[in-house]
Structures are given as C-alpha cells and as structure tokens.
Amino acid sequence: MQAQHMVKRSSIGHWLCLLLIGLAGCQGRPDQTSRATALPLPTGHFAGSLQAPGHPELRAALELRHPSAGHYDAELVLPELPNLSFVADTLTFAHDTLYLVRPGLPGEALKLARQGDFWRGTLRLDSARYPVLLVRRGPPEPTVYRVQRDGVAGTEGQALLFSPADESLPGLALAFFPTPATAATAPGWADALARQGHTVLLLPAADTLTAPALANALALLRRTAGVDTARVGVWVTGRRAGRLPELLAENSASRPSFILIQNMPEPPLSTRRDWRERAQRGRLLALYDPALPRTAVAGGRALLGSQRVRQGPEAYLQAQVSAWLRDR
C-alpha cells in the first residue's frame, strides 16, 4: 500500500471465525494516494488479544511492514478463528489512528488508535464490534500474500487478485465467480487459498456469467507472475454453474484445467454428458452447503458420482478443497 504520512489505499495493488486477520497493504496508484498529514506508520509485530462474545480472550497479532519506500503492507492474525483472516485493500493512517478494510467486505474493518507501543481499538464485523489490544513485540513476520485490484473485461466492478508473496515457484491459480448469495464467504475462501500458496482472482458477485468474462479472467491469471499456466481453473457458484460447458465451448482458449462448482442445481439436459465426462477425468469437484435439500445433492451425486461431491459446513469444505487442489 502506498503511504506518505497519511496513508489511504483502495487500489492496486467470511469466514467469521475470528482468527487471523490479514491486512496486507497493497501498492496503490499515485493519483489515489492522500497527502501526508501525520507521522509515518510504525511497523513491527504487534501481539495481543481480541474479545469476542462466547469466547475466552482470543490471541491476536498484527503485522505492519514497510518493504520499500512509499509502500506499506499489513496482516492481522487471530489464530483461534482463521476464517476472518484478510489482506486489506484500504489502509488509512492519520492522527495516530489506523483504519483497515477487508477486501470485498466493506462491513468488516479494523480501527486502532496508537498509544506509544500499543494499538487499541475495535474489529467491526458489520454491526458487531470486538475490542482489540496489541503491543509491539519485535520486527514484523514475513508477508504471506498480497492483494490488488484489477479490471476484467465483461464484468462489472473491479476484481481482487490474491497472490502469494513468493513467486519463485509457479503454482496453481483459479478464477472465483461468486453470486450475491455467496459473496460474503468468497473473500474468506480467497484468503485461505492464498495462504496455501495459490493465486485467486475474486470476480465481482453477479447472477450471470458470460463467455468473454470467463475467458478474460483465465487470461489474466495466465499472465500473472508466479502462476503455472497449465494449472489454472475456475470456481463457479449457483445456477450459472450449470451452463459452464456451454460457455467454455464458445471459446476454446478459455478451457480451465480444473473446475469447482458450488451449490449447482440440476444442469440443463444438453450439458449432462459433458459434466459426466469431466467428472470421470477427475477434473471436477462439486460443493454443496449443508442447508441445501438432500434431493439437490442426490442429483449431483447421480450425475457426477459420489466421489466428486462434498457437502458440509465451511470448515469441512475448506479441508476437502485444500486436499483436492493438492492433487491438481
């Protein structure tokens, strides 16, 4: 994140289990950087606690880094509740007050006031507020991943690119297309996958998906540093997933190497043969939330085979997806 004395960044670069909140400030565009009006942002590893209803005092850590002139990067961690980890795409520091916003979830933000070596403030999760107290314990830990904004032709709004800090070994990447119904949990998925070394392009939530949007998202990932171009896939949620074979057929250059589908209803008859073939090749995994009717999941198992279908709470699905991606 670009910073002068007052740092405000919203460019370039849900898991509401309150664990590590990762805020990695991204480099911003010069025309979007506010003028400096305060002291430089202090850096370091800040450790302390967070108070959440129904939980004992939770451990928390905030990493504030200054990797190069004019750039800041931050990451806050709550180890007992990892699905709240995030890298912030907005960072403001003025009058000894630090404010960070979670990418894709403007209702989740951290606001801290500096008091010597201490940071004291609140983590906001929409309407809820959780007190946070942190003290400097030494230099910051290394960066895990970065987040930046980018435009993808064929979509409305900006996409968020979550990419590991270490680009030395080309790795797996996927384009994540959430619907409005799954938009709240998508940033948590992106954070978790980026922490495992994957690159994730989180597209704006939408009820529709077009072939150009799909092709452009995959093309962006293939030209991203640190991505193995032979291991680029897609994650599509909701009813749009059923039309995925038709969209891929419109542009052969957009073919992904693997597919994840989430909460897909029964697909059109015209695509079922394609779905069966993809499942038989082992390049497909279907996910279903636990609240969905058994009939919907049974239809997925009948079409794809039980070995290609997973249903359960988010923590269970995360473990299943992580294991499945390791074999891709």
Side-chain angles (χ1 to χ4, degrees), residues 176-259:
F176 196 141
F177 292 89
T179 61
T182 58
T185 58
W189 277 103
D191 171 88
L193 294 172
R195 289 177 186 279
Q196 295 168 24
H198 307 313
T199 299
V200 181
L201 180 64
L202 180 57
L203 283 302
D207 287 316
T208 59
L209 177 60
T210 65
L214 186 60
N216 292 333
L218 292 173
L220 187 154
L221 283 173
R222 288 179 177 130
R223 62 176 181 265
T224 296
V227 170
D228 182 346
T229 57
R231 301 168 64 207
V232 177
V234 297
W235 180 325
V236 184
T237 65
R239 185 170 299 279
R240 305 166 308 162
R243 293 194 58 243
L244 196 54
E246 298 171 352
L247 298 177
L248 296 175
E250 291 184 34
N251 189 337
S252 60
S254 67
R255 299 288 173 83
S257 59
F258 62 89
I259 295 173

Side-chain angles (χ1 to χ4, degrees), residues 13-99:
H14 175 245
W15 116 8
L16 157 20
C17 283
L18 295 155
L19 177 148
L20 288 175
I21 289 180
L23 307 163
C26 306
Q27 174 183 355
R29 300 172 184 166
D31 61 344
Q32 294 174 326
T33 303
S34 300
R35 290 287 180 184
T37 60
L39 295 174
L41 177 65
T43 62
H45 168 76
F46 299 84
S49 63
L50 177 144
Q51 297 288 341
H55 293 273
E57 189 172 77
L58 299 173
R59 289 178 295 133
L62 173 66
E63 310 296 343
L64 293 177
R65 311 176 184 98
H66 190 200
S68 61
H71 297 262
Y72 284 90
D73 146 316
E75 181 179 0
L76 178 65
V77 182
L78 302 172
E80 289 88 352
L81 300 173
N83 60 342
L84 279 190
S85 301
F86 67 83
V87 166
D89 63 342
T90 299
L91 185 159
T92 302
F93 180 62
H95 309 298
D96 276 343
T97 299
L98 177 65
Y99 185 73

Side-chain angles (χ1 to χ4, degrees), residues 249-299:
E250 291 184 34
N251 189 337
S252 60
S254 67
R255 299 288 173 83
S257 59
F258 62 89
I259 295 173
L260 286 136
I261 53 175
Q262 182 179 6
N263 298 340
M264 181 182 75
E266 189 172 351
L269 287 172
S270 59
T271 66
R272 292 184 186 178
R273 179 177 179 179
D274 189 289
W275 281 120
R276 290 193 185 95
E277 290 176 352
R278 291 179 184 276
Q280 289 170 0
R281 292 197 297 267
R283 298 178 182 177
L284 170 70
L285 185 67
L287 310 175
Y288 293 91
D289 296 344
L292 288 181
R294 291 184 178 180
T295 53
V297 184

Side-chain angles (χ1 to χ4, degrees), residues 76-189:
L76 178 65
V77 182
L78 302 172
E80 289 88 352
L81 300 173
N83 60 342
L84 279 190
S85 301
F86 67 83
V87 166
D89 63 342
T90 299
L91 185 159
T92 302
F93 180 62
H95 309 298
D96 276 343
T97 299
L98 177 65
Y99 185 73
L100 307 120
V101 179
R102 186 173 186 177
L105 293 172
E108 298 189 9
L110 181 70
K111 184 177 182 180
L112 298 169
R114 183 187 179 194
Q115 300 174 356
D117 283 343
F118 288 86
W119 289 106
R120 186 188 301 273
T122 58
L123 170 66
R124 186 188 80 217
L125 302 176
D126 294 319
S127 60
R129 302 288 190 277
Y130 303 105
V132 179
L133 177 63
L134 304 163
V135 63
R136 194 178 192 281
R137 297 296 188 189
E141 297 292 330
T143 302
V144 177
Y145 73 90
R146 300 164 299 199
V147 61
Q148 66 184 53
R149 293 174 180 249
D150 211 329
V152 177
T155 65
E156 296 186 5
Q158 287 189 306
L160 293 167
L161 180 65
F162 295 71
S163 57
D166 184 0
E167 301 172 349
S168 60
L169 295 176
L172 174 149
L174 64 87
F176 196 141
F177 292 89
T179 61
T182 58
T185 58
W189 277 103

